[in-house]
Amino acid sequence: MIDFIFNPELSLTLGLTNGILIIFYLIFHFLIRYSQKSKEKEFSQIYVNFLGEYTINTNIKFLSVLFTFQIIGFTIAFFTVDALTSGQYVKHIYMPSLFAAVLYIFLFCKKTGNKLNKEVIMKSKADVVVDFNFNALKKIFNIYLEIPVSVIILYFASVHYNFSTIIIFFGLITWLNYFSLKNSKNMDRVMFKYTYMSIAAVNLFYQALLIFVYIKRTLNFEGVLEWYDLGLYYILGSLLVIKTILYIVSLPKLKKIVTFSSGEVNGSTINA
């Protein structure tokens, strides 16, 4: 039992996987607060308060679910196995906990967020924007590229459980942004522009980080993977590069869409 609790390799993996996530959320929180502060003249005070409180509460819920499921997993492992390796922790405890946290945020916070957003719009009496054909969304999320990338990442995560947690997390959490935007309707005009441009920037950061980690992991996989896995791995790298280039090229058109340079205004509804 002592080896189970004080395993140096396990402790290091535990600290890195959770520490990176906490640091990311702290940076993300700081950037959101800074952006909100700089946008006070554009947003009504009602919207500033809504964005701040909702973002903080969502992040706290996400981390709470993640840590709760990990504690449950560790408790079960403590009474059922004599030792727990770092690979087993990532595969059987951390990744299921991560997916549970993402699923919780999507299923339970989406409804609450949409309801609060409608209330804020009514109170602020703002213009309402609906991206009917998802023209803006398509500029920051290409489903035909994201699906194969996610499938390959999941494959490596299940077959090679030591596949980097960072590339798994940032490779799949993009879907959370996608479904959140796809289900977000009746957005404030300024909020529409702010949200899509912010997520576009975050998405590019994801791609850059994924490519960096991919290159780093390539050195570890060299001479280890079978020919079919190696081919699949190179396909993943190519798709990551293509995605990054495509999203960069799409930025000017996205900006044109969200600033309504080509929009059509009908009363209080804007068709982006």
Side-chain angles (χ1 to χ4, degrees):
M1 290 299 180
I2 297 296
D3 292 337
F4 183 95
I5 300 174
F6 298 103
N7 183 330
E9 183 183 1
L10 177 61
S11 299
L12 178 62
T13 304
L14 182 68
L16 286 175
T17 52
N18 290 284
I20 290 173
L21 196 58
I22 293 173
I23 291 173
F24 167 76
Y25 266 105
L26 288 175
I27 294 174
F28 187 67
H29 172 76
F30 171 78
L31 290 176
I32 285 221
R33 282 302 196 188
Y34 175 79
S35 298
Q36 289 171 356
K37 189 70 176 177
S38 63
K39 298 288 184 181
E40 281 184 350
K41 292 182 179 180
E42 296 182 53
F43 287 114
S44 68
Q45 190 60 43
I46 297 175
Y47 244 107
V48 172
N49 294 336
F50 163 73
L51 286 173
E53 294 303 319
Y54 181 71
T55 302
I56 293 173
N57 291 336
T58 301
N59 290 347
I60 290 175
K61 288 177 181 178
F62 178 87
L63 293 176
S64 298
V65 173
L66 177 67
F67 294 144
T68 298
F69 270 81
Q70 286 189 78
I71 292 172
I72 294 173
F74 268 112
T75 303
I76 295 174
F78 183 81
F79 289 106
T80 55
V81 298
D82 294 328
L84 184 69
T85 66
S86 59
Q88 290 172 332
Y89 156 69
V90 172
K91 185 176 182 179
H92 299 294
I93 296 179
Y94 184 78
M95 291 312 302
S97 300
L98 182 61
F99 285 122
V102 171
L103 188 63
Y104 173 83
I105 293 300
F106 174 69
L107 292 178
F108 296 97
C109 293
K110 177 176 71 72
K111 185 177 180 180
T112 302
N114 289 340
K115 182 180 178 181
L116 289 174
N117 187 57
K118 289 179 182 179
E119 291 177 358
V120 170
I121 288 177
M122 291 179 64
K123 290 179 180 178
S124 60
K125 298 180 180 179
D127 287 334
V128 177
V129 177
V130 181
D131 185 13
F132 286 111
N133 296 318
F134 301 111
N135 293 328
L137 182 59
K138 291 174 184 176
K139 301 305 174 188
I140 59 177
F141 191 97
N142 187 303
I143 194 169
Y144 299 107
L145 289 175
E146 295 293 352
I147 287 178
V149 166
S150 299
V151 170
I152 295 174
I153 286 176
L154 284 173
Y155 168 77
F156 277 101
S158 58
V159 176
H160 305 281
Y161 58 81
N162 59 341
F163 194 67
S164 177
T165 305
I166 298 177
I167 202 170
I168 296 169
F169 175 73
F170 286 106
L172 300 180
I173 200 172
T174 308
W175 284 95
L176 183 63
N177 290 334
Y178 170 75
F179 286 114
S180 296
L181 288 176
K182 191 171 183 179
N183 289 283
S184 297
K185 296 181 179 180
N186 304 319
M187 296 179 70
D188 170 80
R189 178 171 180 161
V190 179
M191 180 65 175
F192 180 78
K193 175 184 175 181
Y194 171 78
T195 300
Y196 274 87
M197 293 305 296
S198 297
I199 291 184
V202 170
N203 198 23
L204 282 176
F205 168 75
Y206 287 171
Q207 307 312 314
L209 186 59
L210 285 171
I211 292 174
F212 172 78
V213 178
Y214 173 88
I215 294 173
K216 186 174 182 297
R217 294 299 298 181
T218 301
L219 300 176
N220 296 342
F221 281 151
E222 188 175 349
V224 176
L225 298 179
E226 297 291 342
W227 66 268
Y228 47 85
D229 277 352
L230 190 61
L232 203 59
Y233 192 70
Y234 286 143
I235 290 174
L236 174 61
S238 300
L239 290 174
L240 289 177
V241 173
I242 292 172
K243 274 204 309 171
T244 305
I245 295 174
L246 181 64
Y247 291 153
I248 291 175
V249 171
S250 298
L251 278 178
K253 194 163 186 179
L254 172 66
K255 188 174 182 180
K256 184 178 180 181
I257 291 174
V258 299
T259 53
F260 310 105
S261 299
S262 59
E264 179 182 337
V265 181
N266 296 315
S268 60
T269 302
I270 302 173
N271 303 315

